Amino acid sequence: MSECTHNCESCGVSNCSERSGESLIKPLHEGSKVKKVIGVVSGKGGVGKSLVTSLLASEMQRRGFNTAVLDADITGPSIPKSFGVKQHATGTDEYIIPVSTSTGIQLMSINLILENETEPVVWRGPVIAGAVTQFWTDVLWTDVDYMFVDMPPGTGDVALTVFQSLPVDGIVIVTSPQDLVSMIVAKAVNMAEMMNIPVLGIVENMSYFKCPDCGKEHSIFGESKVEQVSKSFGIEKYARLPIDPAIAAMVDAGEVEKVSGEHIADFASYITEKIK
């Protein structure tokens, strides 16, 4: 319409072709800057989603990108422990300052504002979702190239809040090599399609154990299905992470940034090419 003022609130025309849907994306704090947001999701718990989030963030930081992790798993936060972060987040009346890891990754997690890290978060869904939104809007994120959002398992309130409130550029699906992997991936893929968010790839954690003596790979949890599942859903990229006691020990010690990026490097390169 030639008379359009682009102010839909004061417009009385209900069927205007130029009227666009209202965005639900929440604005960052005016001092924040985040270029790309990647959600790390799974259809069920216990598959190593936080590990994959931590490894991807650490690998991106090693490559010279300013990286951040928003821990959206409010009731089961493990990101601070993986990075060995014990100090609390600070702030002012206007914003919260995220905690930085030893290599400079910016972190925000509920455990960084609780008085005791073992204190349970007994909140209802809408309150949890609201906290996640505040981690986006009220935290001063400084020049972030890649933000990884560690999501809780499933497709509930928090996942919906993140997909609607944050400008998610793509998701990474984490699975394990079990028979129900196809169903788990299907749930995540279908939700991503509903929210019009691209699936960047699948990471199969606990894919195999490599014998330190003979070098042979053993499929502890069954044969890998990630290649087959990726093809069936038209997902171009996948990665396989081993069962490695050395990795587990470093994560338990809060030294995930010291874990070699060899198993995730190619996947990280794909992400940087896919969403620049």
Side-chain angles (χ1 to χ4, degrees):
M1 297 175 64
S2 59
E3 303 86 359
C4 181
T5 64
H6 301 288
N7 184 358
C8 296
E9 293 182 359
S10 62
C11 179
V13 180
S14 60
N15 62 345
C16 175
S17 61
E18 296 186 27
R19 186 187 297 272
S20 58
E22 181 182 356
S23 173
L24 298 176
I25 299 297
K26 302 297 183 182
L28 282 167
H29 184 274
E30 61 181 11
S32 294
K33 183 179 181 182
V34 178
K35 294 178 183 176
K36 300 295 180 183
V37 179
I38 299 167
V40 182
V41 308
S42 65
K44 66 183 291 294
V47 297
K49 179 175 39 56
S50 296
L51 172 64
V52 172
T53 301
S54 302
L55 292 178
L56 283 171
S58 298
E59 178 64 18
M60 291 299 198
Q61 190 76 7
R62 275 193 292 267
R63 297 182 180 206
F65 296 107
N66 290 328
T67 309
V69 176
L70 190 161
D71 188 357
D73 195 353
I74 301 296
T75 59
S78 57
I79 290 297
K81 182 173 177 57
S82 298
F83 285 93
V85 170
K86 300 183 184 301
Q87 65 266 43
H88 286 83
T90 58
T92 68
D93 291 339
E94 297 181 356
Y95 53 76
I96 303 169
I97 300 173
V99 174
S100 290
T101 70
S102 60
T103 65
I105 298 172
Q106 299 172 55
L107 301 184
M108 190 62 220
S109 171
I110 193 69
N111 267 11
L112 300 179
I113 57 178
L114 292 177
E115 187 172 337
N116 188 333
E117 67 175 14
T118 61
E119 181 181 338
V121 178
V122 189
W123 297 346
R124 294 191 182 276
V127 180
I128 293 174
V132 172
T133 302
Q134 284 187 289
F135 286 173
W136 171 256
T137 61
D138 295 359
V139 173
L140 189 64
W141 300 105
T142 306
D143 293 326
V144 175
D145 295 311
Y146 289 97
M147 172 183 282
F148 293 91
V149 182
D150 185 20
M151 307 270 278
T155 54
D157 283 348
V158 173
L160 185 61
T161 295
V162 170
F163 288 163
Q164 288 184 330
S165 303
L166 276 62
V168 180
D169 295 281
I171 66 167
V172 173
I173 301 173
V174 182
T175 69
S176 59
Q178 296 165 312
D179 286 338
L180 46 70
V181 64
S182 181
M183 179 190 71
I184 294 170
V185 173
K187 287 179 180 292
V189 169
N190 289 336
M191 185 171 192
E193 289 180 349
M194 289 171 59
M195 307 305 295
N196 197 30
I197 296 172
V199 177
L200 299 174
I202 304 176
V203 177
E204 183 180 76
N205 190 33
M206 300 176 285
S207 186
Y208 60 91
F209 170 75
K210 189 172 184 178
C211 176
D213 297 323
C214 67
K216 183 178 179 180
E217 293 185 2
H218 300 272
S219 301
I220 305 297
F221 294 110
E223 295 299 322
S224 173
K225 300 175 179 63
V226 67
E227 182 177 5
Q228 172 189 344
V229 170
S230 295
K231 287 181 179 179
S232 66
F233 287 101
I235 298 171
E236 183 177 344
K237 195 68 178 175
Y238 66 86
R240 298 171 64 216
L241 300 184
I243 300 170
D244 189 337
I247 294 177
M250 281 188 275
V251 172
D252 286 344
E255 298 177 342
V256 71
E257 289 163 295
K258 295 182 180 180
V259 176
S260 167
E262 61 178 314
H263 301 295
I264 206 78
D266 186 53
F267 195 87
S269 295
Y270 178 80
I271 290 176
T272 59
E273 287 297 317
K274 196 73 174 178
I275 51 171
K276 296 181 179 180

